[in-house]
Amino acid sequence: MIKSIFDSYGTPVLIGMFLLFFILETKFELRKRVQNRWKRIVINFIVSIPAFALLRLLFIPAMVWLAVKNQDWQIGINYLFGGPAWMKFVFAFLLLDYSNYIWHILLHKLPVLWRFHLVHHTDLDLDISTSFRFHFGEMIGSIFFRGAATILIGAAPLMVLIYEIVFEAATQFHHSNTKLPFRLEKALNIFIVTPRMHGIHHSMVKKETDSNYSIIFSFWDRIHKTIRLNKHQNEIVTGVPAYADERELTIGKLLKLPFTSIRKWKETERPLDESDNKLKS
Ligand SMILES: [Zn+2]
């Protein structure tokens, strides 16, 4: 099943997405780059190799295995009530996305998880290659949390795979440095997380990083009032203040980073715009 869905359909779609947004962000740049693009691409891809291997060889099989086993165990919200299959499909998709919103908050708020998620946030530019820059430790942690969510939701195996493909595509999309037509992005942002919205989450200003946790649907941040949109992209300084020296962000140092003593967030004094909280060009 994983081979016939994820490998045969998911992988070509994700490679296509990558190529499309790679070209788009080259032609229509949203935020000015501060680092050499190719150097970052090499770093981000090499750092991502262990996480990638774990995703395909452990994470996805584990999620599908749990969902298959759960068809016997019948634990989880979706098994509590009857109803048409499409309804359970929509319900599981929404709740899987909501569980990832919560997981993302935990990655920021629990010190042990922040150690690993920090590797992703230390990128000093934000583009499609950042969507691969995850420490493999974060992937291991997510197996437990997202595995529990899969069971509690009672998601069907096919749903788990489809959600995962959309999740990966959404992650590529909202990290990309593509300048979409502003009105199009504003319309998309009503429902989904867009590059300008997620760009604010990667800001060096703590209050801005502590917002916009959603992955696919943007309404989780709206519901929980963790949304922050009123920031011009050219005002964002991307990264983590205490880790802003690119000489410290080599492949070896990034892989070791979670196991070192983690520096405090040095707050950059910058007044927050508390005005309308509407998306800015
Ligand atoms: Zn984050």
Side-chain angles (χ1 to χ4, degrees):
M1 186 179 188
I2 296 173
K3 281 206 174 83
S4 67
I5 305 285
F6 194 83
D7 296 349
S8 313
Y9 293 101
T11 310
V13 167
L14 293 174
I15 292 173
M17 275 277 298
F18 172 78
L19 292 174
L20 174 69
F21 281 98
F22 187 80
I23 295 166
L24 284 176
E25 70 182 16
T26 309
K27 289 196 82 163
F28 310 101
E29 195 180 73
L30 178 61
R31 289 165 296 262
K32 242 180 133 50
R33 294 174 181 279
V34 296
Q35 260 192 301
N36 179 286
R37 188 181 186 190
W38 290 99
K39 190 178 159 195
R40 277 185 51 255
I41 287 175
V42 171
I43 292 174
N44 289 352
F45 273 92
I46 296 179
V47 166
S48 78
I49 292 170
F52 251 129
L54 278 173
L55 172 78
R56 176 60 188 85
L57 302 173
L58 185 64
F59 178 85
I60 292 176
M63 293 307 121
V64 173
W65 182 82
L66 285 170
V68 169
K69 282 282 162 196
N70 202 19
Q71 287 177 325
D72 293 332
W73 303 333
Q74 306 248 317
I75 310 166
I77 305 166
N78 249 346
Y79 291 108
L80 292 178
F81 59 87
W86 68 265
M87 215 173 78
K88 293 187 179 232
F89 223 67
V90 171
F91 187 69
F93 194 92
L94 285 171
L95 283 190
L96 283 172
D97 199 47
Y98 185 49
S99 72
N100 277 300
Y101 166 81
I102 297 169
W103 171 241
H104 192 185
I105 290 182
L106 293 177
L107 287 171
H108 280 263
K109 302 294 175 194
L110 295 182
V112 64
L113 295 178
W114 172 244
R115 286 176 173 273
F116 295 95
H117 192 53
L118 170 65
V119 174
H120 174 65
H121 274 270
T122 51
D123 207 348
L124 299 173
D125 280 310
L126 195 63
D127 64 16
I128 197 150
S129 75
T130 317
S131 71
F132 302 109
R133 179 184 172 120
F134 286 100
H135 195 278
F136 62 89
E138 183 179 329
M139 187 60 69
I140 294 171
S142 75
I143 291 175
F144 296 97
F145 182 88
R146 292 180 60 188
T150 299
I151 292 181
L152 286 174
I153 293 164
L158 181 64
M159 188 74 256
V160 169
L161 280 176
I162 292 175
Y163 179 79
E164 195 53 39
I165 295 166
V166 181
F167 173 95
E168 297 296 338
T171 305
Q172 287 191 20
F173 170 66
H174 66 227
H175 282 100
S176 87
N177 196 22
T178 303
K179 189 172 193 165
L180 295 172
F182 186 58
R183 283 173 60 176
L184 170 70
E185 178 153 350
K186 251 187 124 166
L188 286 173
N189 189 245
I190 298 170
F191 294 105
I192 63 171
V193 180
T194 56
R196 286 177 173 95
M197 175 178 171
H198 196 72
I200 296 169
H201 176 68
H202 279 262
S203 160
M204 284 206 187
V205 179
K206 186 80 167 69
K207 274 200 179 152
E208 291 167 358
T209 306
D210 290 341
S211 59
N212 304 356
Y213 297 103
S214 301
I215 311 289
I216 299 176
F217 297 115
S218 56
F219 43 70
W220 307 122
D221 277 305
R222 288 180 212 278
I223 292 169
H224 293 284
K225 297 195 165 47
T226 47
I227 197 155
R228 189 175 286 277
L229 299 172
N230 53 355
K231 178 95 184 183
H232 286 286
Q233 296 295 308
N234 53 19
E235 289 171 359
I236 298 172
V237 184
T238 301
V240 177
Y243 296 91
D245 183 352
E246 70 174 279
R247 286 166 303 182
E248 288 188 320
L249 303 172
T250 59
I251 295 161
K253 285 186 177 159
L254 285 171
L255 288 171
K256 276 187 274 179
L257 184 62
F259 312 105
T260 60
S261 78
I262 302 299
R263 297 174 199 156
K264 276 217 174 88
W265 195 289
K266 281 188 295 192
E267 188 54 274
T268 37
E269 289 303 328
R270 208 193 276 227
L272 281 160
D273 183 0
E274 300 289 356
S275 59
D276 54 359
N277 206 13
K278 288 210 174 80
L279 201 66
K280 299 275 186 279
S281 60

